[in-house]
Amino acid sequence: MLPDLSVLIVSWNVREHVRECIASIAADAARPHTEVILVDNASADGTAPAIRQEFPWVRVVENAENHGFPAANNQALALARGRHVLFLNPDTVVRPGTLAACVRALDADPDLGAVGCRIEFPDGRVQYEGGRSRYRFRHLVYEVLYLHMLFPRSRIFAEHVMGDWDHRGVRNVDALSGAFMMVPHRVALEVGGLPDDVFMYHEDLSFCMRIGRSGRTLLYRGDVSIVHYGGSSSRRSPARLTLLEVEAKQRFIRDGDGPVWAALARSVFLLRSLVRLAVCTVGSALPRSFRERYPRVFDWRTHALQLAWSVSPALTAGLMPRSGPRPPLRALHEGAP
């Protein structure tokens, strides 16, 4: 009997989080018939053997090198046998009933292309990225001036994450968070899996845009939830990986607003980097506890690299990591039920 759901998890040096994540799935008595596939991207913390020993029913794929987040997810997708697939971050805890509720939602509506849920920090605060709108040029302008942080509940300045909504209801959205995206298996294959032309960053938003362009809707369910620690792997990543973020945002602006706005966006990125470096300089006089509270604001290495990219992408081209090999399309379809 084929499973109802294939849970796809990609890990990199987050062994304890992965153990907690899989344990939460195993403890959910209401879960549908589920298989779990873990692709470990060459972790140095013993993730793969630990999971094999503690959860022998989990299918573990151990990469010899880090192929990147979307490429490793597509490896898992190639092996999936479920009617639906769930792209799930390793630093999450799935609350009881969430998997079953999302499977029921997909089964009830053939026009539904993906479903997500409410995502919370461990302290109970809602992560508004769980349901959001597509990224546009105006959102970059708000970021330059920190308006999205100064007015996090504004309908205008926090439009990208729908900040004026408490994210506890149910509604259709443009995009879901990659921390939890459940998709019909056939849809995931039809749109080509996760976009893996980049190593990491915003592949979830690109994937959701693909689903939307296929004519399907994306449903956010704020009535069921997971806990997401957030950034557990990225905090261990070098600052150069954030160059992938600015490239991804420029691509979203090109798709949503056109090539002229995308070209202008690079100038705005330059201005943003200068502003943030200035904030870092002024902030050096602030108490260390304050700077540690906002690590991304005071990360001068990241801002310096993004400034160099804004001047000329050629200056940082050699720093860009490459995504791993994509499973052939035929292999992706072999896993379909």
Side-chain angles (χ1 to χ4, degrees):
M1 179 180 176
L2 293 174
D4 297 308
L5 178 66
S6 298
V7 179
L8 316 180
I9 304 172
V10 172
S11 61
W12 184 68
N13 292 323
V14 286
R15 182 183 63 189
E16 296 309 311
H17 279 313
V18 176
R19 292 177 65 250
E20 187 178 9
C21 176
I22 296 174
S24 72
I25 295 171
D28 182 2
R31 72 183 185 279
H33 180 29
T34 300
E35 68 172 356
V36 176
I37 301 171
L38 172 70
V39 176
D40 184 71
N41 260 336
S43 293
D45 64 353
T47 295
I51 297 304
R52 285 194 182 101
Q53 179 177 357
E54 187 169 352
F55 306 100
W57 48 274
V58 172
R59 184 166 187 177
V60 178
V61 177
E62 194 170 0
N63 286 335
E65 58 184 270
N66 191 339
H67 290 320
F69 187 74
N73 267 292
N74 286 334
Q75 280 183 269
L77 179 60
L79 301 173
R81 300 178 300 124
R83 292 187 296 109
H84 306 303
V85 295
L86 170 63
F87 298 97
L88 182 67
N89 273 18
D91 57 342
T92 58
V93 174
V94 181
R95 290 199 169 114
T98 296
L99 298 179
C102 292
V103 165
R104 286 196 300 269
L106 289 175
D107 287 343
D109 185 355
D111 294 325
L112 193 58
V115 61
C117 69
R118 187 174 78 251
I119 301 174
E120 296 182 347
F121 290 106
D123 62 6
R125 290 177 296 127
V126 176
Q127 296 182 26
Y128 279 42
E129 292 82 0
R132 49 190 164 158
S133 62
R134 64 187 308 171
Y135 192 83
R136 306 296 291 267
F137 178 82
R138 59 182 176 272
H139 301 140
L140 175 59
V141 174
Y142 302 154
E143 289 176 8
V144 171
L145 302 174
Y146 289 105
L147 295 175
H148 66 307
M149 296 179 66
L150 293 171
F151 306 100
R153 301 295 172 260
S154 167
R155 182 177 60 85
I156 297 174
F157 300 131
E159 178 192 25
H160 176 50
V161 295
M162 307 171 74
D164 60 328
W165 173 43
D166 66 6
H167 284 63
R168 295 183 180 275
V170 177
R171 67 166 67 174
N172 291 339
V173 295
D174 288 341
L176 304 164
S177 168
F180 185 106
M181 291 189 300
M182 190 180 293
V183 184
H185 196 149
R186 57 181 173 79
V187 173
L189 298 178
E190 181 184 317
V191 301
L194 288 186
D196 55 10
D197 53 335
V198 295
F199 190 80
M200 62 182 290
Y201 280 121
H202 299 299
E203 67 285 330
D204 52 353
L205 189 54
S206 294
F207 185 59
C208 289
M209 295 301 102
R210 287 183 178 184
I211 294 173
R213 285 193 293 268
S214 75
R216 297 177 175 90
T217 56
L218 294 90
L219 180 69
Y220 172 90
R221 293 197 56 159
D223 56 341
V224 291
S225 66
I226 63 169
V227 175
H228 181 213
Y229 290 94
S232 298
S233 291
S234 60
R235 277 193 292 269
R236 296 172 172 82
S237 302
R240 61 190 174 86
L241 287 184
T242 62
L243 294 170
L244 301 171
E245 182 178 11
V246 292
E247 283 205 338
K249 287 184 174 180
Q250 186 184 40
R251 184 171 63 250
F252 294 141
I253 292 170
R254 183 185 300 111
D255 292 344
D257 299 307
V260 174
W261 291 103
L264 182 59
R266 214 174 88 214
S267 299
V268 178
F269 275 123
L270 190 151
L271 176 61
R272 187 183 76 165
S273 299
L274 289 172
V275 169
R276 293 186 173 185
L277 284 169
V279 169
C280 285
T281 302
V282 174
S284 62
L286 296 173
R288 181 176 179 179
S289 59
F290 182 85
R291 286 181 279 125
E292 290 178 345
R293 185 179 177 183
Y294 302 100
R296 296 189 66 181
V297 173
F298 296 102
D299 185 358
W300 66 268
R301 291 182 182 86
T302 292
H303 307 324
L305 283 172
Q306 292 183 359
L307 176 63
W309 175 88
S310 302
V311 172
S312 173
L315 294 175
T316 57
L319 299 175
M320 298 288 192
R322 295 183 179 274
S323 186
R326 161 179 272 273
L329 189 60
R330 179 179 58 83
L332 286 175
H333 285 275
E334 283 174 355

